[in-house]
Amino acid sequence: MKNTKYIFVTGGVTSSLGKGIISSSLAKLLQARGYSVTIQKLDPYINVDPGTLNPYEHGECYVTQDGAETDLDLGHYERFLNTPTSQENNVTTGRIYQSVIEKERRGDYLGKTVQVIPHITDEIKKRIRLVAKKYNYDIVITEIGGTVGDIESLPYIESVRQLKWDLGPSNCLVVHLTLVPYLPTSGELKTKPTQHSVKMLQEAGIQPDILVLRTQKKLSEDIRNKVALFCNVQISSVIESIDAFTIYEVPLLMQDEKLDETVLHKLNLPANQKPDLGPWKEFLKRLKSPKETVRIGLVGKYVELHDAYKSISESFTHAGAANECKVDLEFIHSEQINENNAGQKLGHLEGILVAPGFGSRGIEGKILAARYAREHDIPFLGICLGMQCAVIEFARNVLGFENANSTEINRRTPFPVIDLMEEQKGITTKGGTMRLGAYPCRVEKNSRIYQAYKKELVNERHRHRYEFNNKYLKDFEKAGMKAVGINPDTNLVEIMEMPEHRWFVGVQFHPEYRSTVLQPHPVFVDFVKATISLVREKNKTMKQQEIKEAERNLN
Ligand code: GLN
C-alpha cells in the first residue's frame, strides 16, 4: 500500500472561479512528472447524484465508464488526465447521509446518537480515502464544491480539518482558490475579499498552504507580498492564475508559477523529473493556429446555458485541433426552429449536431433539424435523443410512417420507432435507473463510421431508457438508413448511418464523454473532417461562380 498524499482544493469569494480547471491543471502537471493522480469532487447538495438535476440547475450530467451520473467537473478531470474516473470520484452530501442513515437503520450505531461530528465527517473521510485505497494512487486531489462560508459545505471543511490532523502536514495540503478583483474606477487589484475568505477558513481551523489567485491583470510583487503577509502563507505559495485564452493553457500557466514544484516540496515528494508536456503543447499549438474554420450548429433545448453541453463543446475543441481547424459552435434553440425558418436558422452551417435530451419540449425543432441536414446533404451527428430524432424524421418523411414517434413523446404513436427498452419496463424510480455507463458495440466493417473508428469492437458510454425499435429495422435499411453499430450481447442498435449522404450518423451512446485532449473522439474527428470537406466544396463553387461572373463582365 502506498503512502498516498492528499490535496484539497477549496474556493472562496465567489463560485465559478474554476476550481475544476485548477485541480485538473495541477493533476496534469503532477501526472506529467510521473505521479499517478486522480481527482475527486465532493458536492454539497442533497441529491444523491446530479442525474436527477435539470441541466439548467447544474450544467451537464457527466457519465463515467462504470455508470455513475456525476458532476461536469469529472469531464474536465478525464479530458485533462486522459484516465477514467469512477463511482468513487464524485460524492454528494445526499450520498453521505444516505449511507449514514442506512447504517443507522441496520443498527450499526446501536445505542449512539448519530451526529454530524463524528458520523457524517467520518463517512466523508472514508469516501476521501476510499479512492486512494481502491486504486492505489500516489496523489488524490479532492475538490470541495461550493464556496467557503456556505452552510452546506461546513461538514466537508470540518472533515478536511480533521484529515489534516490525522495525516500530518507533509501528507496533506490545502490549496485555496480565490478572486482578486480589479476595480477599474481606482485602477487597482483588491486583496480584501481574499483576506476575508482565508480568515473564514482559518476560523474553521484550516490554514491554507497555497493560495491560487484568479485575476484579470498580472499580480505585482507588492500584491503577492501583501497576500502572503495577511493570509499567513509563504510568498512562494501565492500563485497567480490569470485569465487564459483557453482552459487548456492553464497547466502551462501553473507550471510557470511553479505550482507543481511548491506542492511537491510541501508534500515532501521529489520533483526531479521534469514534466513531460510535449503532446499537450502540440495540441495547444494546433488549437491556436487553425488553418480553416467550420460552422457547426448545436441544436438543443438547454442552449441558454452552455455548460449543459460542456462535453460536446470540448469534444469539438479536441476534434477541431486534430483537424487543424477552428470549430465555430453555434448554439441553436430547438424550440425556435420551425418549418418556415429552418433554412434561415440552419442553411449557412457546415455541420448540424442534434443534442441529447429528455421529454417533448423542443423535440419537433430537433426533428426538423435532422430533416434539414438529410435533405441538404449537410454533415449530421445525432447523439442519443439526437439519433432518435433522426430516426423519427426518417420514419415520417422517407418511410411515410405518419405520426411516427418515440413512446417517450407519444405513448400512443402508431409507429413507435423508438421504444422503451425491455429492461426499463418495470422501473418506476428515476435516480440512477437508466442504461448507464460503457457497453460494447460491434461496428460494421463496411460502413462510414468504421473509417473513423478503424476498429470493430468499441466501448461507449450510455445514458438513456429508450432504444431503436428493431421491429422496423428492415424498413429503414431498405430505404437507406443502416444500423452499422450493434451491441453484440443485446442486439440493441447503437449507430445508424446513411451511406448515400455526405456524413449522416446517429449514435445512441455519448461519444462526448470519452473525448480527451490526447485522445480526441474518432466520431467527432470524422464529423469535423466531413464539415471541412463541405467548406472546401462551398469555397470551390464560390470561386467558380466568381470566375464565371468575371468572364461574363469581360464579354
Ligand atoms: N430521452 C432519451 C432516452 O431516454 C434520450 C436520452 C439522452 O439523450 N441522453 O432514451
Side-chain angles (χ1 to χ4, degrees):
M1 198 54 200
K2 278 182 188 161
N3 175 26
T4 303
K5 308 276 184 171
Y6 294 85
I7 301 171
F8 295 96
V9 178
T10 56
V13 183
T14 85
S15 57
S16 306
L17 287 182
K19 280 192 301 272
I21 301 302
I22 291 296
S23 305
S24 303
S25 301
L26 172 58
K28 181 78 225 166
L29 292 174
L30 297 171
Q31 184 195 51
R33 284 179 182 268
Y35 290 103
S36 67
V37 192
T38 195
I39 316 173
Q40 177 190 44
K41 171 106 193 249
L42 303 184
D43 273 312
Y45 48 74
I46 314 286
N47 303 63
V48 172
D49 62 43
T52 51
L53 284 175
N54 182 319
Y56 284 133
E57 297 272 326
H58 210 67
E60 158 191 288
C61 172
Y62 184 78
V63 178
T64 61
Q65 191 172 273
D66 63 352
E69 293 178 289
T70 73
D71 184 76
L72 61 75
D73 271 327
L74 272 81
H76 290 307
Y77 308 162
E78 290 204 12
R79 289 188 281 272
F80 275 64
L81 293 181
N82 203 29
T83 52
T85 52
S86 67
Q87 298 276 355
E88 289 78 20
N89 289 70
N90 193 192
V91 178
T92 68
T93 295
R95 192 174 297 283
I96 299 284
Y97 273 83
Q98 188 187 41
S99 53
V100 168
I101 290 169
E102 274 168 11
K103 280 186 199 160
E104 188 276 332
R105 291 289 84 185
R106 262 204 321 265
D108 292 8
Y109 308 113
L110 219 51
K112 289 265 172 256
T113 309
V114 183
Q115 294 181 297
V116 173
I117 305 173
H119 302 100
I120 294 297
T121 47
D122 278 353
E123 186 65 30
I124 294 172
K125 290 197 286 181
K126 195 178 107 194
R127 299 282 177 149
I128 293 169
R129 302 191 77 165
L130 185 69
V131 200
K133 209 154 110 195
K134 203 160 162 190
Y135 302 96
N136 221 7
Y137 288 106
D138 296 324
I139 301 167
V140 174
I141 299 180
T142 301
E143 179 191 340
I144 315 282
T147 308
V148 167
D150 294 349
I151 290 176
E152 52 181 19
S153 58
L154 280 175
Y156 290 126
I157 300 293
E158 168 59 16
S159 305
V160 172
R161 185 195 69 77
Q162 292 178 20
L163 264 177
K164 268 197 117 182
W165 274 105
D166 298 347
L167 296 163
S170 65
N171 291 319
C172 176
L173 57 88
V174 174
V175 176
H176 188 54
L177 176 66
T178 74
L179 176 72
V180 178
Y182 174 72
L183 292 191
T185 42
S186 61
E188 280 177 308
L189 286 166
K190 290 301 197 186
T191 64
K192 195 70 83 188
T194 297
Q195 295 175 39
H196 279 299
S197 95
V198 170
K199 225 168 243 150
M200 222 174 262
L201 259 185
Q202 288 166 337
E203 275 168 22
I206 296 175
Q207 168 61 50
D209 301 280
I210 295 174
L211 295 177
V212 178
L213 310 180
R214 292 281 290 112
T215 173
Q216 274 176 284
K217 305 219 177 252
K218 286 210 84 47
L219 301 179
S220 65
E221 263 326 285
D222 274 358
I223 294 263
R224 288 180 193 247
N225 279 320
K226 190 171 173 189
V227 170
L229 180 67
F230 281 89
C231 299
N232 196 29
V233 297
Q234 290 160 319
I235 179 83
S236 58
S237 298
V238 178
I239 306 285
E240 168 193 287
S241 170
I242 200 157
D243 292 354
F245 162 76
T246 150
I247 53 170
Y248 298 115
E249 213 162 34
V250 180
L252 302 182
L253 295 175
M254 289 302 103
Q255 192 187 16
D256 290 346
E257 287 285 304
K258 299 194 166 52
L259 175 62
D260 51 338
E261 280 177 52
T262 309
V263 161
L264 290 172
H265 175 72
K266 285 186 188 294
L267 290 177
N268 234 339
L269 288 172
N272 34 22
Q273 193 185 324
K274 275 264 153 266
D276 174 13
L277 288 165
W280 190 272
K281 287 182 182 162
E282 255 317 296
F283 159 81
L284 271 177
K285 212 165 89 191
R286 284 196 305 271
L287 184 67
K288 286 176 155 179
S289 44
K291 299 204 169 100
E292 42 210 325
T293 303
V294 296
R295 289 163 302 181
I296 297 180
L298 187 158
V299 179
K301 67 172 172 180
Y302 305 113
V303 291
E304 302 91 329
L305 183 72
H306 291 189
D307 269 1
Y309 302 106
K310 195 77 201 158
S311 292
I312 294 179
S313 52
E314 294 307 320
S315 299
F316 278 123
T317 304
H318 311 151
N323 280 292
E324 295 185 294
C325 108
K326 177 173 189 296
V327 177
D328 256 345
L329 198 57
E330 253 181 59
F331 288 80
I332 301 168
H333 206 302
S334 59
E335 279 182 299
Q336 287 163 11
I337 304 176
N338 57 48
E339 300 260 2
N340 304 322
N341 68 8
Q344 179 204 332
K345 294 259 180 211
L346 309 166
H348 60 290
L349 300 167
E350 283 95 37
I352 295 174
L353 180 139
V354 175
F358 295 84
S360 54
R361 182 170 68 91
I363 193 95
E364 290 302 323
K366 290 185 171 183
I367 294 171
L368 275 171
R371 179 178 191 170
Y372 193 87
R374 178 178 60 78
E375 290 183 343
H376 294 82
D377 209 23
I378 298 174
F380 172 87
L381 176 59
I383 299 180
C384 206
L385 183 66
M387 171 243 186
Q388 299 175 353
C389 287
V391 164
I392 297 167
E393 187 282 312
F394 193 87
R396 288 183 189 171
N397 303 313
V398 178
L399 296 173
F401 293 174
E402 211 176 312
N403 289 323
N405 218 326
S406 160
T407 49
E408 180 183 4
I409 316 298
N410 173 6
R411 251 198 255 171
R412 280 190 286 276
T413 167
F415 297 101
V417 286
I418 303 292
D419 200 4
L420 197 62
M421 279 180 280
E422 206 45 49
E423 69 205 42
Q424 286 287 328
K425 287 196 174 145
I427 297 176
T428 50
T429 53
K430 292 274 184 269
T433 55
M434 281 187 252
R435 181 183 185 224
L436 289 167
Y439 286 90
C441 167
R442 188 167 294 288
V443 181
E444 165 75 47
K445 234 180 152 176
N446 184 23
S447 69
R448 177 78 51 82
I449 206 66
Y450 179 83
Q451 302 305 321
Y453 277 117
K454 299 186 175 66
K455 255 206 256 175
E456 273 183 271
L457 196 65
V458 297
N459 263 291
E460 295 287 3
R461 299 185 199 172
H462 294 254
R463 183 173 187 245
H464 63 121
R465 297 183 203 280
Y466 293 81
E467 58 162 325
F468 178 81
N469 188 343
N470 272 323
K471 189 172 120 190
Y472 298 104
L473 185 56
K474 277 210 178 86
D475 299 305
F476 276 79
E477 297 212 317
K478 244 194 272 159
M481 189 183 261
K482 300 233 158 20
V484 292
I486 302 279
N487 178 306
D489 306 318
T490 56
N491 232 13
L492 291 184
V493 171
E494 307 284 26
I495 313 175
M496 291 295 254
E497 78 176 26
M498 287 175 39
E500 295 305 314
H501 192 279
R502 184 191 301 272
W503 203 95
F504 193 104
V505 176
V507 288
Q508 184 55 76
F509 47 79
H510 293 260
E512 71 275 23
Y513 294 146
R514 246 179 14 92
S515 187
T516 71
V517 166
L518 298 186
Q519 273 177 314
H521 197 286
V523 168
F524 280 92
V525 174
D526 212 52
F527 178 42
V528 171
K529 205 159 137 195
T531 63
I532 296 176
S533 84
L534 179 54
V535 171
R536 291 187 185 155
E537 200 179 292
K538 279 184 181 174
N539 287 345
K540 211 163 125 195
T541 333
M542 224 151 70
K543 271 221 179 84
Q544 279 165 349
Q545 271 166 355
E546 273 168 22
I547 293 171
K548 264 195 207 144
E549 188 76 15
E551 280 172 357
R552 221 177 291 137
N553 287 345
L554 273 179
N555 292 335

